[in-house]
């Protein structure tokens, strides 16, 4: 089991304000909070890429590795196991020689893909603004302001 991962879901007592509204700053302060653990998992760059690639298709491990630039075999294995454990990815082993292993999103993983698609769309729409902000920041840093 991954270090820091609880066997049972925990409830984030005290993460809601007096009016019952979520306190957006509380989920990040409690390591034993299930919400934080889930966000840490699904917001990981490798998890995001795997979920995006598996949208409405089944891929083998080698296909995923080829599509994800920079991921090591070990990191992809760990990521897929974690996503499978969380119920977001389904792993199917076909009894052939050598065994053929395929990955696909579960119904739950598919619902997450919708959210990821929104994030990617936002990024595409604002990439020029972000690039300009980075250039302005870097220019300011170079001058020492």
């Amino acid at each position: 089991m991954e270090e820091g991962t609880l066997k049972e879901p925990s409830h984030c007592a005290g993460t809601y304000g007096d009016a019952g509204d979520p306190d957006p700053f509380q989920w990040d302060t409690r390591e034993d909070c299930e919400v934080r653990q889930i966000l840490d998992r699904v917001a990981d760059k490798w998890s995001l890429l795997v979920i995006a690639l598996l949208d409405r298709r089944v891929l083998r491990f080698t296909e995923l590795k080829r599509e994800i630039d920079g991921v090591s075999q070990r990191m992809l294995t760990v990521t897929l196991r974690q996503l499978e454990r969380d119920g977001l990815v389904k792993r199917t082993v076909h009894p052939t020689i050598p065994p053929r292993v395929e990955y696909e999103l579960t119904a739950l993983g598919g619902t997450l893909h919708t959210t990821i698609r929104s994030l990617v769309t936002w990024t595409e729409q604002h990439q020029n603004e972000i690039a300009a902000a980075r250039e302005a920041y870097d220019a300011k840093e170079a001058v020492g302001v």
Side-chain angles (χ1 to χ4, degrees), residues 2 22 99 124:
E2 183 179 346
E124 289 171 344

Side-chain angles (χ1 to χ4, degrees), residues 64-128:
L64 282 166
K65 177 131 177 31
R66 195 173 346 172
E67 291 288 327
I68 303 174
D69 187 39
V71 70
S72 68
Q73 182 168 335
R74 182 188 182 303
M75 191 78 239
L76 182 56
T77 299
V78 168
T79 299
L80 287 166
R81 283 184 185 155
Q82 291 171 341
L83 292 171
E84 182 181 11
R85 180 174 181 256
D86 289 344
L88 302 173
V89 168
K90 177 183 173 194
R91 177 180 185 260
T92 304
V93 180
H94 298 278
T96 59
I97 299 176
R100 187 180 60 163
V101 181
E102 296 177 330
Y103 297 89
E104 62 187 307
L105 289 182
T106 62
L108 180 61
T111 63
L112 180 58
H113 186 271
T114 303
T115 302
I116 291 170
R117 189 179 310 127
S118 297
L119 181 61
V120 170
T121 299
W122 180 90
T123 304
E124 289 171 344
Q125 291 171 348
H126 298 283
Q127 64 184 333
N128 293 335

